[in-house]
Amino acid sequence: MRAVPASNSLGVRIAVVDDEPTIQETLKAYFETAGFLVFTADSADAFRRLVDRERIDLFLLDIKLPDCDGLTLMREIRDRTDAAVILVTSRSDEIDRVVGLELGADDYVTKPFSTRELLARVNSVLRRTRTDAKADRVGVRRFAGWTLDLESHRLTSPAGESSRLTHGEFDLLAALTRYPGKIMSRDELIASVTDREWNPNDRTIDVLISRLRRKIEPEPGRPSLIATEYGIGYVFTEPVT
C-alpha cells in the first residue's frame, strides 16, 4: 500500500537500524513516500557513524543486530540524543521489550509488522514527542518541591537539580499531574503515552511508573506521590499548583 504523507512527517529524519536488507529497502521506500527523510544502518558501527554525522528525530531500532545488542544501542541513544525510539522485536522478546522501555524507548512493534501499522506508530510517537503537540502543554506545574516545565520537558528537583525525563516518562507525569487526586486507569494512562490499545499483558505503564518513582519519590519502595490502586490504575496524591 502506498504511504500517504502526513502533515507532521515532512522533513522529519528517521533512521532504520536493521541488518535485513529487505526490511531496510522496504521501510526506506515506504517512509520516503510518506514524506520522511530516511537513513539506514545495518550494524552498530554504521549506527554510530550515523549518529555522529546526522541529526535523527526517530530511530526504528531492531533489538537483534549481528555485532551488538540493540539494547546497548538504546542506552547510547539515550546518552547521546533526545531522539524518539521505536523498538522492533520478535513476538518472543517480551523481556527485551520491557528492558527497552526501562531504558527509555517510546514504543515497540513486533515482527512481522505491516508498514501501515509502523507508520501509524511513528506518527503517534512524533505527535507525543513534539513540544507543541498538545495545546495544554504550557506553563509550569509544582508539587512536593518539584517543578515540571511543560514547554521544555524539564523536571527540577527541590534541590534545584535537573532530572532528565524520557518522552514516555514526561507524558505519563504530565497526565498524572493534570488530574491530581483522580484515579487514572491503565487504559487512560497508556493512551497518554502510546496511543496503543491496552491488553492485560502490556507492562508499559508499570515500567514507566517504576522509573518515575525512582526519580521523584523520597522512598521509591514506599511511594507517597504516585499511589497504586490495585486492579484499577494509579493516582497522583500530591497537590499540584
Side-chain angles (χ1 to χ4, degrees):
M1 179 177 293
R2 185 177 178 82
V4 178
S7 59
N8 67 338
S9 68
L10 298 178
V12 173
R13 305 161 72 86
I14 70 174
V16 178
V17 185
D18 197 299
D19 65 319
E20 296 184 35
T22 301
I23 289 180
Q24 279 195 28
E25 294 167 7
T26 299
L27 294 184
K28 181 176 175 61
Y30 187 80
F31 279 95
E32 284 180 344
T33 301
F36 295 87
L37 298 175
V38 183
F39 303 85
T40 61
D42 59 3
S43 67
D45 286 342
F47 158 84
R48 293 181 180 112
R49 290 195 299 271
L50 177 63
V51 173
D52 288 339
R53 187 177 70 247
E54 302 288 349
R55 174 189 60 79
I56 302 298
D57 298 305
L58 183 144
F59 287 90
L60 298 174
L61 177 61
D62 189 1
I63 280 185
K64 297 188 184 301
L65 293 171
D67 59 343
C68 183
D69 190 302
L71 295 177
T72 298
L73 299 188
M74 178 74 239
R75 292 185 182 91
E76 292 186 26
I77 291 172
R78 282 291 160 257
D79 288 342
R80 300 176 63 181
T81 81
D82 291 322
V85 180
I86 296 178
L87 297 177
V88 180
T89 75
S90 71
R91 296 194 182 279
S92 61
D93 288 337
E94 180 180 359
I95 293 177
D96 285 343
R97 287 198 296 272
V98 171
V99 174
L101 291 169
E102 287 273 12
L103 293 174
D106 296 281
D107 203 351
Y108 66 86
V109 64
T110 56
K111 293 181 178 180
F113 54 80
S114 73
T115 50
R116 185 176 182 180
E117 176 194 1
L118 188 55
L119 176 60
R121 295 264 175 247
V122 166
N123 284 328
S124 174
V125 167
L126 290 172
R127 284 195 300 270
R128 297 197 313 271
T129 56
R130 289 185 168 186
T131 303
D132 60 352
K134 294 182 180 178
D136 64 341
R137 289 192 176 174
V138 176
V140 172
R141 294 177 189 168
R142 296 181 175 87
F143 58 89
W146 291 86
T147 300
L148 180 65
D149 189 316
L150 299 174
E151 291 187 88
S152 66
H153 288 208
R154 178 171 297 180
L155 179 65
T156 305
S157 74
E161 299 174 347
S162 180
S163 180
R164 186 173 180 178
L165 296 177
T166 67
H167 297 304
E169 291 166 355
F170 171 83
D171 287 336
L172 183 58
L173 187 56
L176 288 167
T177 56
R178 185 179 182 184
Y179 302 107
K182 177 192 175 198
I183 299 173
M184 300 191 71
S185 71
R186 282 178 171 81
D187 284 338
E188 293 174 297
L189 292 172
I190 206 164
S192 73
V193 300
T194 67
D195 287 347
R196 180 189 293 277
E197 184 179 351
W198 181 75
N199 67 74
N201 295 319
D202 195 325
R203 295 185 55 195
T204 302
I205 292 302
D206 301 312
V207 168
L208 290 175
I209 288 288
S210 177
R211 281 178 8 205
L212 274 179
R213 282 172 169 166
R214 290 198 295 269
K215 291 186 176 182
I216 69 174
E217 294 279 5
E219 296 181 64
R222 301 175 59 187
S224 59
L225 300 179
I226 305 174
T228 302
E229 293 293 329
Y230 292 98
I232 305 175
Y234 297 93
V235 56
F236 197 82
T237 60
E238 189 72 15
V240 177
T241 59

